[in-house]
Amino acid sequence: MATQDQHEVRKDKLGALRGEGWCFPNDKKPSITAVALQERYAEDLDDTQHYIAGRIMTARYMGKAAFLTLQDRSGQIQVYLRANDLGAEVFEQAKSWDLGDIVWVQGHVFRTKLGELTVWASATAVLVKSLRPLPDKFHGLQDQETRYRQRYVDLMVNQDSKEVFVKRSRLMKLLRDFFDQREFLEVETPMMHPIAGGAVARPFVTHHNTLDMDLYLRVAPELYLKRLVVGGFERVYEINRNFRNEGISTRHNPEFTMIEFYQAYADYKDLMALTNALFSVIAEQLTDNGIVTYLDHEIDFSKPIAEMTMDEAILEHHPQLTAEILADESGLLAYLNTHKISCKEGSVLAQMKLQLFEDTVEEKLIQPVFITEYPAIVSPLARRSDHDNTLTDRFELFIAGQEIANGFSELNDPEDQAERFAQQMAEKEKGDHEAMPYDEDYIRALEYGLPPTAGQGIGIDRLVMILTNTPTIRDVILFPTLRHKSLEE
């Protein structure tokens, strides 16, 4: 029977139920979950009556008896229906149930000849009539785009998908517990900004009618969180949604989740140590002995995270390149041209290095590694290094070829910060849509005095991808951004 035909048949069944006075009842509640039943009766059985409720996932009818599989939030359990127990009329109603209907059952447990724990129904009721059929039980919901657009169906029928989001939730709780235990204060900052600052990114723009002003969806909470440190909240964190009007790929979604945290009287090395401690907890609670399989790689979370400078990483993965060429602007430009690596017109040496690193080295950084000594010209909010003012006290954490975290000692010199903002504005005037704007209020905050501070952001979506062996970011976001498509299409 065609799907549309099933839809019409189910609507007819709903109409028949309404004709009998039925109207989506809300007076039947479960007393126990499927998994709790399995745990309670792992060994001995008794005659206690239990109430369960769930969605019908499978059904087998055999004359005057039937076996159903119900699925609730915890898992599945089998139910046995018999006309002799329910009465002929009720049993006939049950025979009209469809896969996907949500039903309530009262009964005691027993084990079938095959040893499967089953609820022997003494009373039943349909709570919700499902008007659309579930995907084929043998193949599930396999079309990727349908899984993203109809995540509710994906979660019903694909246990692997459900487990990804359960693990994501566990990670979120772990992060909160980790920072709460270290006296960080969880805060909330605006998601609509008058200035799109805090990261080098292209923002989404909206307009507030009453105020008659443009606003920007948050690209990062950084500048607001550091304002709070100025105000005296010396340890803060925010699990935040960010929005960047950029490309979509297996690693990028326009709306994504990060955790950002800031600690006064700390530097970037303190944050590297803190990150090591965090990943030790993640390894203990969310991995199998610290090892995670991701695509073709085994990622070891149990060891301390390695550390390399950007120059060291470039030279390791470009053995034909010398340190002398890497330090010479014309020599490096010739090397880039030979390897067909293009930079923006007018790029200086530091920008060329970063382009070479991003294009050819990042994807090769499989095991967890901190890359340090980022150039100041591409790090407008980071403190300059004491040993080389062209570099900053900054690191990025890479795992499985992906940037997972970015942290640095914060720039708290208001005059230096003003110069960096001016430099960013010059880049914007040259056509760089991602360059950061000049934020006068943030400079004012720095003039009141930001304690020596270090801050870091961790991309939660990408981290979940690695922890769940998921190749695309859309599979770890419940409702990823998709091109609009009508139901008719």
Side-chain angles (χ1 to χ4, degrees), residues 393-413:
D393 290 340
R394 175 186 172 191
F395 68 85
E396 287 189 349
L397 170 62
F398 289 88
I399 306 175
Q402 303 184 60
E403 177 202 339
I404 301 299
N406 180 26
F408 42 82
S409 300
E410 300 296 337
L411 175 57
N412 60 349
D413 178 343

Side-chain angles (χ1 to χ4, degrees), residues 34-277:
V35 167
L37 271 178
Q38 304 278 5
E39 293 172 348
R40 176 167 175 172
Y41 294 107
E43 297 180 2
D44 298 331
L45 305 179
D46 60 39
D47 294 329
T48 303
Q49 292 285 303
H50 298 284
Y51 309 113
I52 62 170
R55 190 180 298 275
I56 302 173
M57 303 304 292
T58 66
R60 290 179 291 131
Y61 293 94
M62 303 159 292
K64 294 185 178 182
F67 283 97
L68 310 179
T69 301
L70 298 191
Q71 178 171 289
D72 64 12
R73 71 178 188 275
S74 68
Q76 296 185 347
I77 193 158
Q78 184 168 261
V79 172
Y80 177 59
L81 308 179
R82 199 173 66 161
N84 289 351
D85 304 308
L86 301 174
E89 183 178 350
V90 173
F91 185 75
E92 283 301 311
Q93 290 176 345
K95 287 175 66 176
S96 72
W97 293 347
D98 294 302
L99 300 187
D101 288 355
I102 299 174
V103 302
W104 171 92
V105 173
Q106 175 184 344
H108 69 279
V109 297
F110 75 104
R111 289 196 180 275
T112 64
K113 292 180 180 179
L114 296 178
E116 183 172 358
L117 189 72
T118 303
V119 177
W120 191 317
S122 58
T124 65
V126 60
L127 303 181
V128 176
K129 183 66 194 169
S130 175
L131 298 182
R132 294 186 179 272
L134 297 179
D136 183 281
K137 66 179 180 180
F138 295 107
H139 301 99
L141 183 62
Q142 295 184 327
D143 180 75
Q144 290 285 20
E145 183 169 335
T146 304
R147 289 179 62 192
Y148 303 146
R149 292 187 184 279
Q150 300 177 28
R151 183 68 81 186
Y152 38 89
V153 182
D154 179 37
L155 296 174
M156 286 180 208
V157 300
N158 291 327
Q159 184 62 27
D160 289 347
S161 182
K162 190 174 183 178
E163 289 174 358
V164 165
F165 294 104
V166 169
K167 179 166 278 191
R168 181 184 177 117
S169 180
R170 290 177 60 199
L171 174 63
M172 301 290 266
K173 183 177 186 305
L174 181 154
L175 291 170
R176 282 192 165 93
D177 290 345
F178 180 87
F179 286 100
D180 290 346
Q181 291 165 8
R182 287 159 178 78
E183 299 183 7
F184 282 76
L185 180 71
E186 183 174 10
V187 297
E188 296 171 295
T189 61
M191 295 178 71
M192 292 193 298
H193 294 181
I195 296 175
V200 179
R202 190 170 187 173
F204 287 94
V205 186
T206 186
H207 186 80
H208 193 288
N209 292 332
T210 301
L211 297 178
D212 191 23
M213 63 182 289
D214 285 344
L215 292 170
Y216 304 89
L217 293 184
R218 174 169 65 194
V219 296
E222 177 169 343
L223 301 185
Y224 283 92
L225 290 173
K226 287 191 286 191
R227 284 174 169 94
L228 296 180
V229 180
V230 170
F233 286 154
E234 295 178 350
R235 296 187 179 195
V236 293
Y237 76 92
E238 181 174 11
I239 295 178
N240 55 83
R241 303 290 282 186
N242 294 326
F243 308 86
R244 298 184 183 177
N245 196 359
E246 300 167 352
I248 295 178
S249 72
T250 57
R251 299 180 182 181
H252 298 87
N253 191 68
E255 178 181 1
F256 61 97
T257 305
M258 293 182 66
I259 180 170
E260 285 205 19
F261 49 94
Y262 292 82
Q263 180 176 342
Y265 309 108
D267 61 20
Y268 77 110
K269 292 185 177 179
D270 294 316
L271 290 193
M272 291 164 70
L274 186 67
T275 305
N276 264 306

Side-chain angles (χ1 to χ4, degrees), residues 298-314:
E298 281 197 348
I299 312 296
D300 192 347
F301 277 65
S302 65
K303 298 177 181 178
I305 300 171
E307 182 180 338
M308 302 176 73
T309 68
M310 182 182 291
D311 283 7
E312 289 170 344
I314 291 172

